[in-house]
Amino acid sequence: MTRQARLTLLLYPFGAGAAAVNLFFASLILSWAGAPVLPPGWAVFGGALLGIPPTGLFAGHIDRLMREAEPRD
């Protein structure tokens, strides 16, 4: 397993949680325009799905920073 994959698995709970919170708050803001508020359970489910791509991108960024910081021989 690559270092980026391990970082993605390690950071996934944080990415999914952030996506769930943002999805729920976005539904609250859209409720001002008449849209229904997303139930918290649906927001968690949506965050679990929507959190995968940003977490992978962030893990790739951290992996590049770690490679850059490694000493060169």
Side-chain angles (χ1 to χ4, degrees):
M1 184 181 292
T2 65
R3 179 168 49 183
Q4 182 177 348
R6 287 183 298 206
L7 282 170
T8 301
L9 290 175
L10 180 70
L11 295 172
Y12 174 71
F14 300 104
V21 168
N22 286 328
L23 189 58
F24 182 71
F25 283 144
S27 76
L28 288 177
I29 291 171
L30 290 175
S31 73
W32 297 344
V37 175
L38 194 63
W42 282 98
V44 169
F45 179 72
L49 294 176
L50 293 175
I52 296 170
T55 303
L57 291 172
F58 184 66
H61 174 66
I62 296 299
D63 185 43
R64 281 189 296 279
L65 290 176
M66 289 170 68
R67 289 183 197 280
E68 204 174 289
E70 287 175 350
R72 298 178 192 205
D73 294 332

